[in-house]
mmCIF file of all heavy atoms in Angstrom:
data_model
loop_
_atom_site.group_PDB
_atom_site.id
_atom_site.type_symbol
_atom_site.label_atom_id
_atom_site.label_comp_id
_atom_site.label_asym_id
_atom_site.label_seq_id
_atom_site.Cartn_x
_atom_site.Cartn_y
_atom_site.Cartn_z
ATOM 1 N N HIS I 158 -20.730 2.252 -1.573
ATOM 2 C CA HIS I 158 -20.426 2.064 -2.998
ATOM 3 C C HIS I 158 -21.667 2.281 -3.870
ATOM 4 O O HIS I 158 -21.605 2.975 -4.894
ATOM 5 C CB HIS I 158 -19.869 0.659 -3.231
ATOM 6 C CG HIS I 158 -19.640 0.336 -4.677
ATOM 7 N ND1 HIS I 158 -18.642 0.929 -5.425
ATOM 8 C CD2 HIS I 158 -20.314 -0.498 -5.529
ATOM 9 C CE1 HIS I 158 -18.691 0.471 -6.676
ATOM 10 N NE2 HIS I 158 -19.693 -0.391 -6.761
ATOM 11 N N LEU I 159 -22.807 1.717 -3.481
ATOM 12 C CA LEU I 159 -24.024 1.859 -4.290
ATOM 13 C C LEU I 159 -24.515 3.296 -4.309
ATOM 14 O O LEU I 159 -25.020 3.783 -5.335
ATOM 15 C CB LEU I 159 -25.113 0.926 -3.759
ATOM 16 C CG LEU I 159 -24.824 -0.574 -3.913
ATOM 17 C CD1 LEU I 159 -25.964 -1.404 -3.332
ATOM 18 C CD2 LEU I 159 -24.596 -0.950 -5.382
ATOM 19 N N GLN I 160 -24.359 4.009 -3.171
ATOM 20 C CA GLN I 160 -24.752 5.421 -3.129
ATOM 21 C C GLN I 160 -23.884 6.249 -4.080
ATOM 22 O O GLN I 160 -24.384 7.132 -4.772
ATOM 23 C CB GLN I 160 -24.641 5.959 -1.702
ATOM 24 C CG GLN I 160 -25.687 5.391 -0.765
ATOM 25 C CD GLN I 160 -25.487 5.818 0.683
ATOM 26 O OE1 GLN I 160 -25.864 5.108 1.601
ATOM 27 N NE2 GLN I 160 -24.883 6.976 0.905
ATOM 28 N N ILE I 161 -22.600 5.953 -4.115
ATOM 29 C CA ILE I 161 -21.682 6.674 -4.997
ATOM 30 C C ILE I 161 -22.026 6.379 -6.457
ATOM 31 O O ILE I 161 -22.045 7.288 -7.303
ATOM 32 C CB ILE I 161 -20.214 6.298 -4.707
ATOM 33 C CG1 ILE I 161 -19.803 6.774 -3.300
ATOM 34 C CG2 ILE I 161 -19.281 6.891 -5.761
ATOM 35 C CD1 ILE I 161 -19.777 8.278 -3.125
ATOM 36 N N GLN I 162 -22.339 5.114 -6.771
ATOM 37 C CA GLN I 162 -22.685 4.766 -8.145
ATOM 38 C C GLN I 162 -23.981 5.458 -8.585
ATOM 39 O O GLN I 162 -24.101 5.909 -9.728
ATOM 40 C CB GLN I 162 -22.812 3.251 -8.298
ATOM 41 C CG GLN I 162 -21.490 2.520 -8.204
ATOM 42 C CD GLN I 162 -20.439 3.108 -9.146
ATOM 43 O OE1 GLN I 162 -20.597 3.067 -10.363
ATOM 44 N NE2 GLN I 162 -19.381 3.675 -8.591
ATOM 45 N N ALA I 163 -24.931 5.570 -7.650
ATOM 46 C CA ALA I 163 -26.166 6.300 -7.955
ATOM 47 C C ALA I 163 -25.860 7.778 -8.198
ATOM 48 O O ALA I 163 -26.438 8.412 -9.092
ATOM 49 C CB ALA I 163 -27.161 6.138 -6.807
ATOM 50 N N ALA I 164 -24.918 8.340 -7.414
ATOM 51 C CA ALA I 164 -24.510 9.738 -7.594
ATOM 52 C C ALA I 164 -23.840 9.918 -8.952
ATOM 53 O O ALA I 164 -24.083 10.914 -9.655
ATOM 54 C CB ALA I 164 -23.563 10.157 -6.474
ATOM 55 N N VAL I 165 -22.994 8.953 -9.346
ATOM 56 C CA VAL I 165 -22.321 9.023 -10.647
ATOM 57 C C VAL I 165 -23.353 9.047 -11.774
ATOM 58 O O VAL I 165 -23.241 9.835 -12.722
ATOM 59 C CB VAL I 165 -21.352 7.832 -10.816
ATOM 60 C CG1 VAL I 165 -20.872 7.722 -12.268
ATOM 61 C CG2 VAL I 165 -20.158 7.990 -9.882
ATOM 62 N N MET I 166 -24.366 8.217 -11.662
ATOM 63 C CA MET I 166 -25.419 8.185 -12.684
ATOM 64 C C MET I 166 -26.170 9.521 -12.733
ATOM 65 O O MET I 166 -26.484 10.037 -13.806
ATOM 66 C CB MET I 166 -26.388 7.037 -12.394
ATOM 67 C CG MET I 166 -25.769 5.654 -12.572
ATOM 68 S SD MET I 166 -26.889 4.319 -12.099
ATOM 69 C CE MET I 166 -28.143 4.469 -13.368
ATOM 70 N N GLY I 167 -26.440 10.092 -11.557
ATOM 71 C CA GLY I 167 -27.112 11.379 -11.510
ATOM 72 C C GLY I 167 -26.273 12.485 -12.118
ATOM 73 O O GLY I 167 -26.777 13.350 -12.848
ATOM 74 N N ILE I 168 -24.953 12.480 -11.817
ATOM 75 C CA ILE I 168 -24.048 13.496 -12.361
ATOM 76 C C ILE I 168 -23.933 13.349 -13.883
ATOM 77 O O ILE I 168 -23.919 14.340 -14.613
ATOM 78 C CB ILE I 168 -22.654 13.384 -11.698
ATOM 79 C CG1 ILE I 168 -22.757 13.776 -10.220
ATOM 80 C CG2 ILE I 168 -21.633 14.269 -12.410
ATOM 81 C CD1 ILE I 168 -21.521 13.444 -9.400
ATOM 82 N N GLN I 169 -23.863 12.086 -14.355
ATOM 83 C CA GLN I 169 -23.791 11.851 -15.796
ATOM 84 C C GLN I 169 -25.023 12.412 -16.501
ATOM 85 O O GLN I 169 -24.926 13.069 -17.544
ATOM 86 C CB GLN I 169 -23.668 10.350 -16.073
ATOM 87 C CG GLN I 169 -23.320 10.028 -17.522
ATOM 88 C CD GLN I 169 -21.863 10.337 -17.839
ATOM 89 O OE1 GLN I 169 -20.959 9.770 -17.259
ATOM 90 N NE2 GLN I 169 -21.632 11.259 -18.761
ATOM 91 N N THR I 170 -26.194 12.184 -15.920
ATOM 92 C CA THR I 170 -27.438 12.700 -16.490
ATOM 93 C C THR I 170 -27.441 14.230 -16.480
ATOM 94 O O THR I 170 -27.857 14.878 -17.450
ATOM 95 C CB THR I 170 -28.645 12.175 -15.689
ATOM 96 O OG1 THR I 170 -28.645 10.746 -15.727
ATOM 97 C CG2 THR I 170 -29.956 12.694 -16.273
ATOM 98 N N LEU I 171 -26.960 14.809 -15.373
ATOM 99 C CA LEU I 171 -26.886 16.270 -15.254
ATOM 100 C C LEU I 171 -26.020 16.857 -16.364
ATOM 101 O O LEU I 171 -26.414 17.810 -17.043
ATOM 102 C CB LEU I 171 -26.319 16.644 -13.880
ATOM 103 C CG LEU I 171 -25.934 18.117 -13.666
ATOM 104 C CD1 LEU I 171 -27.169 18.996 -13.620
ATOM 105 C CD2 LEU I 171 -25.108 18.278 -12.378
ATOM 106 N N ILE I 172 -24.843 16.290 -16.558
ATOM 107 C CA ILE I 172 -23.909 16.811 -17.555
ATOM 108 C C ILE I 172 -24.469 16.631 -18.965
ATOM 109 O O ILE I 172 -24.408 17.543 -19.797
ATOM 110 C CB ILE I 172 -22.535 16.136 -17.414
ATOM 111 C CG1 ILE I 172 -21.874 16.568 -16.091
ATOM 112 C CG2 ILE I 172 -21.630 16.468 -18.603
ATOM 113 C CD1 ILE I 172 -20.630 15.802 -15.746
ATOM 114 N N ASP I 173 -25.041 15.440 -19.244
ATOM 115 C CA ASP I 173 -25.604 15.198 -20.575
ATOM 116 C C ASP I 173 -26.752 16.162 -20.865
ATOM 117 O O ASP I 173 -26.897 16.643 -21.996
ATOM 118 C CB ASP I 173 -26.101 13.749 -20.672
ATOM 119 C CG ASP I 173 -24.962 12.738 -20.621
ATOM 120 O OD1 ASP I 173 -23.801 13.145 -20.816
ATOM 121 O OD2 ASP I 173 -25.229 11.548 -20.372
ATOM 122 N N ARG I 174 -27.548 16.454 -19.844
ATOM 123 C CA ARG I 174 -28.692 17.355 -20.015
ATOM 124 C C ARG I 174 -28.251 18.795 -20.255
ATOM 125 O O ARG I 174 -28.858 19.539 -21.027
ATOM 126 C CB ARG I 174 -29.572 17.290 -18.764
ATOM 127 C CG ARG I 174 -30.856 18.113 -18.878
ATOM 128 C CD ARG I 174 -31.689 17.992 -17.624
ATOM 129 N NE ARG I 174 -31.080 18.667 -16.504
ATOM 130 C CZ ARG I 174 -30.797 18.098 -15.334
ATOM 131 N NH1 ARG I 174 -31.053 16.815 -15.141
ATOM 132 N NH2 ARG I 174 -30.236 18.789 -14.354
ATOM 133 N N GLU I 175 -27.160 19.190 -19.597
ATOM 134 C CA GLU I 175 -26.698 20.576 -19.674
ATOM 135 C C GLU I 175 -25.695 20.813 -20.797
ATOM 136 O O GLU I 175 -25.202 21.928 -20.951
ATOM 137 C CB GLU I 175 -26.058 20.980 -18.337
ATOM 138 C CG GLU I 175 -27.019 20.976 -17.151
ATOM 139 C CD GLU I 175 -28.059 22.078 -17.256
ATOM 140 O OE1 GLU I 175 -27.760 23.119 -17.863
ATOM 141 O OE2 GLU I 175 -29.163 21.882 -16.732
ATOM 142 N N LEU I 176 -25.380 19.766 -21.567
ATOM 143 C CA LEU I 176 -24.316 19.883 -22.571
ATOM 144 C C LEU I 176 -24.536 21.054 -23.521
ATOM 145 O O LEU I 176 -23.629 21.836 -23.779
ATOM 146 C CB LEU I 176 -24.207 18.578 -23.372
ATOM 147 C CG LEU I 176 -23.217 18.612 -24.552
ATOM 148 C CD1 LEU I 176 -21.799 18.827 -24.027
ATOM 149 C CD2 LEU I 176 -23.298 17.327 -25.354
#
Side-chain angles (χ1 to χ4, degrees):
H158 175 70
L159 294 179
Q160 290 174 208
I161 294 294
Q162 290 308 296
V165 168
M166 292 175 67
I168 293 168
Q169 191 74 62
T170 301
L171 169 69
I172 292 171
D173 293 344
R174 184 179 70 235
E175 296 292 331
L176 174 64

